[in-house]
């Protein structure tokens, strides 16, 4: 990869600054991408403004420049509102061109091939240059014009124009939200919330007999969840859009898309955690029931265009804690933290490590210089647990270890890794706590904490920082079990998640300078409560092939009744006349309406139990009724449906109506920096 | 104690025990049946004298400790000893001459091992054909039993680009069976052409 510092010469800069804001001469050469993205660049329309930032929030400027045939790009300047953006240190800029072997990286048509070992994505002219200026920021609110001017060797200029907005956060009353808690029920649409309520609280004569904790929040709005490149998002942009204020492409987190193959060199945008750590010294806590490298937790702190790059992702959590303030990291995913000197992962090394050079990270110099980020290293042999401990983190491998870590008060920093990959789901963890340890023993982790326990621990650690914190608490397997259309497991995930919501609400009641948000990143599976079983549990077991003939609709569905144990979870989901779930975004499945003893297989587990069905279209095959789906593959998919967001605490009153997921960043920014005019709790 | 689970009639395999034929597991392309001398179609009797039964579930300590997986005392104690192991031949692409993997689950191992964990359990081991280093063993469907000498410790087979916690160096008898199986499959394939 060729990266040279920008050579600024006075004359072209002067000429360009004089010409800034005017049209440049026509040329066959073109600029095919200008970042941050804008409709002004893409279509010529000034609205809607796509890229928006808080005052002072950092982001990268980048352009993909396709020069005339035989020419190369020798230098470039970005202009904002006609003013050249200076790289005063001379180390925040780069020009990236195809540096791989020409025979491999350039096809017969003169276009890049995008093959392994090359620099640029496929389909670009071989002389394309990606030019960047890192870590730009601007304070003045309003829409600003962004222009890039690039010079070819022959002196010809190529230019393009876009725009972005700095969103003013206004003046508040100074009563700021010191603590920000985002509870993210992954994949949790309105139906998931309703199902959790029906199961946990029950209904009588049409009225819910109780409310979920999230139901008690005084403000609720609806969130539009689209990503930069689709009406249907995945979890990476679904989360990062909330905490960057900007849209990302699917599978990408903390970055804008680019035209290079390196997954860690994309143009960055500063996260809420980084912004508030830099501005106010806040800490960051990331808590999930998933593998901690998963898209949602990573989308609080990690900058990469490939959400699957586990080694690099977990390394960055630690390496860049000076940027994010990371103080708590809890979930599954131990496989990424164990040393793997062999750099081979299949089958897993004897210790179960999945670390690999191919998904580790090394940053280009301009990002390191611009953002102050750690450069990274391809080091599968790294013992990351030991490194966390050396950095002062207490390490908890299980629930007992978590309790032990608090024996003498809350530790200053906390790492909890309770499973090799995703943690077991509430259905199986609770069964284990009640004495049926079949599943948790099979996974090898019989002592995993529940999400409310992890939340309580995290808040105790984070609240030690007098400057406040940003926390993300994720109920990850609402989504994962909805993908698998396991209608007994995901409702318990909602209940587990809601118990974490209750912990956060109690914290906010004691600490009124806290804003608590409960939402999702997207809806998953098109879940719908279609009615209830017209059969008893015994009748379903006797005839699991009933399929739709078991579904009672409208008044025949009545009100399913679940008995709740002292631990807060249903004694059984397999009750007579149980609630039945349909899926509008489903793949084929065999349905018995009965619980599966073992969860459907999680391919990320190093040692999946042999009894786990491979997928929903194999689960109950030959036993249940075939329900054909509307999507290909073997799992239900995300949908583009708006999802609810409920808010509690300081600044909560902003979260009403229908708004875009990126709006959440600016509402939080107002609450955290300017303060609200009234305390919404009062 | 109450439990959620409706005890549907499921195949009653135990964790990593590989005691029954493949159920609804990872999809595996259709492979020829294993030679009858190796195929496991019913519960096995006790192993021959001098051979210890080793089950996949006995390879690592459960529950998992605070860090990585750890070998059991039983596994460590069998280093250099003759054992019998029952499992599935991993369908590996590309195959590795003189070796294949034996897994507690029926799985396919592709060569694209770049990012997330693949489906091969941590307890899968290498099987070495000491007298046939160039033999590519054709895929076999179903459970097979193998006896040989166990060598415990991380094994990196460069040609496979993979590591395993142990290698089973086959006895002469099962190696001969595999040699015949390979010839038989090759002959059938030749006829089919």
């Amino acid at each position: 990869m060729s990266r040279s510092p920008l050579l600024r010469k006075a004359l072209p800069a002067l000429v360009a600054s004089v010409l800034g804001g005017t049209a440049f001469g026509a040329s066959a050469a073109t600029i095919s991408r200008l970042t941050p993205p804008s409709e002004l660049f893409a279509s010529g329309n000034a609205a809607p403004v796509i890229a928006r930032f808080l005052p002072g929030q950092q982001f990268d400027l980048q352009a993909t420049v396709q020069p005339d045939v035989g020419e190369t790009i020798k230098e470039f300047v970005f202009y904002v509102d006609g003013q050249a953006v200076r790289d005063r240190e001379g180390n925040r800029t780069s020009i990236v061109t195809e540096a791989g072997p020409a025979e491999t990286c350039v096809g017969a048509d003169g276009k890049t091939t995008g093959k392994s070992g090359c620099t640029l994505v496929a389909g670009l002219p071989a002389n394309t240059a990606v030019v960047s200026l890192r870590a730009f920021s601007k304070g003045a609110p309003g829409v600003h014009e962004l222009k890039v001017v690039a010079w070819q060797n022959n002196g010809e200029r190529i230019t393009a124009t876009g725009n972005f907005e700095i969103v003013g956060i206004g003046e508040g009353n100074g009563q700021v939200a010191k603590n920000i808690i985002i509870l993210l029920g992954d994949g949790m649409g309105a139906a998931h919330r309703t199902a959790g309520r029906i199961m946990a609280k029950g209904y009588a004569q049409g009225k819910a007999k109780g409310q979920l904790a999230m139901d008690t929040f005084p403000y609720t709005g609806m969130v539009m969840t689209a990503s930069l490149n689709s009406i249907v998002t995945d979890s990476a942009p679904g989360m990062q859009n909330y905490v960057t204020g900007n849209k990302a492409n699917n599978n990408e987190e903390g970055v804008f898309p680019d035209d290079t193959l390196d997954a860690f060199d994309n143009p960055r945008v500063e996260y809420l955690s980084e912004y508030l750590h830099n501005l106010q010294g806040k800490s960051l806590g990331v808590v999930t029931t998933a593998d901690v490298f998963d898209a949602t937790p990573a989308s609080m702190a990690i900058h990469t265009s490939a959400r699957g790059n586990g080694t690099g992702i977990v390394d960055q959590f630690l390496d860049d804690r000076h940027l994010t303030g990371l103080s708590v990291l809890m979930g599954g995913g131990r496989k990424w933290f164990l040393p793997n000197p062999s750099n081979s992962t299949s089958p897993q090394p004897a210790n179960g490590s999945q670390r690999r050079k191919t998904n580790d990270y090394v940053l280009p110099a301009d990002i390191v210089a611009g953002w102050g980020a750690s450069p990274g290293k391809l080091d599968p042999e790294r013992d990351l647990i030991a490194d966390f401990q050396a950095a002062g983190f207490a390490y908890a491998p299980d629930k007992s270890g978590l309790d032990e870590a608090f024996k003498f008060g809350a530790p200053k920093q906390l790492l909890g890794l309770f499973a090799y990959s995703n943690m077991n789901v509430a259905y199986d963890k609770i069964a284990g706590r009640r004495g049926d340890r079949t599943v948790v023993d099979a996974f090898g982790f019989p002592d995993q904490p529940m999400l409310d326990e992890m939340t309580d621990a995290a808040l105790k650690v984070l609240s030690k920082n007098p400057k406040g914190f940003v926390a993300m608490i994720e109920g990850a397997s609402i989504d994962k079990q909805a993908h698998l259309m396991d209608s007994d497991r995901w409702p318990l995930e909602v209940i587990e998640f809601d118990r974490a919501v209750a912990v956060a609400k109690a914290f906010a009641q004691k600490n009124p300078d806290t804003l608590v948000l409960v939402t999702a990143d997207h809806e998953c599976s098109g879940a719908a409560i279609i009615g209830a079983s017209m059969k008893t549990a015994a009748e379903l077991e006797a005839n699991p092939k009933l399929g739709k003939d078991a579904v009672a609709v409208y008044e025949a569905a009545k009100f399913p009744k679940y008995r709740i144990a002292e631990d807060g979870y249903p004694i059984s989901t397999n009750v007579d006349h149980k609630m039945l779930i349909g899926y509008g975004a489903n793949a084929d499945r065999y349905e018995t309406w009965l619980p599966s003893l073992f969860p459907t297989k999680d391919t990320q587990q190093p040692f999946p139990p042999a009894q786990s069905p491979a997928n929903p279209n194999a689960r109950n095959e030959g036993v249940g009724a075939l329900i054909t789906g509307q999507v290909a593959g073997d799992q239900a998919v995300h949908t583009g449906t708006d999802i609810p967001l409920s808010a509690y605490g300081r600044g909560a009153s902003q979260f009403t109506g229908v708004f875009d997921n990126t709006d959440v960043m600016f509402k939080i920014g107002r609450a955290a920096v300017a303060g609200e005019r009234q305390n919404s709790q009062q | 104690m109450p439990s959620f689970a409706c005890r549907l009639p499921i195949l009653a395999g135990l964790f990593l025990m590989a005691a029954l034929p493949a159920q609804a597991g990872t999809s595996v392309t259709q492979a020829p049946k294993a030679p009858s001398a190796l195929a496991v179609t019913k519960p096995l009797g006790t192993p021959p004298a001098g051979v210890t039964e080793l089950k996949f579930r006995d390879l690592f300590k459960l529950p998992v400790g605070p860090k990585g997986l750890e070998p059991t005392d039983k596994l460590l104690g069998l280093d250099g000893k003759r054992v019998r192991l029952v499992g599935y031949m991993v369908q590996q692409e590309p195959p590795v001459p003189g070796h294949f993997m034996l897994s507690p689950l029926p799985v396919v191992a592709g060569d694209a091992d770049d990012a997330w964990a693949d489906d091969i359990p941590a307890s899968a081991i290498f099987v070495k054909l000491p007298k046939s280093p160039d033999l590519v063993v054709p895929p076999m469907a179903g459970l097979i039993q193998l006896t040989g000498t166990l060598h415990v410790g991380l094994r990196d087979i460069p040609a496979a680009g993979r590591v395993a916690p142990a290698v089973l160096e086959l006895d002469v008898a099962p190696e001969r069976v595999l040699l015949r199986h390979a010839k038989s499959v090759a002959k059938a394939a030749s006829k089919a052409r």
Side-chain angles (χ1 to χ4, degrees), chain A residues 347-369:
Chain A
Q348 287 80 20
N351 64 0
S353 175
Q354 281 293 302
R355 292 182 64 84
R356 195 97 197 262
K357 284 182 182 176
T358 48
N359 55 38
D360 207 344
Y361 85 105
V362 172
L363 298 183
D366 55 335
I367 290 183
V368 174

Side-chain angles (χ1 to χ4, degrees), chain A residues 322-360:
Chain A
H322 62 288
L323 300 178
T324 63
L326 183 84
S327 298
V328 173
L329 182 62
M330 278 195 282
R334 206 186 297 170
K335 68 187 183 194
W336 301 112
F337 291 71
L338 301 167
N340 179 14
S342 76
N343 187 39
S344 182
T345 58
S346 181
Q348 287 80 20
N351 64 0
S353 175
Q354 281 293 302
R355 292 182 64 84
R356 195 97 197 262
K357 284 182 182 176
T358 48
N359 55 38
D360 207 344

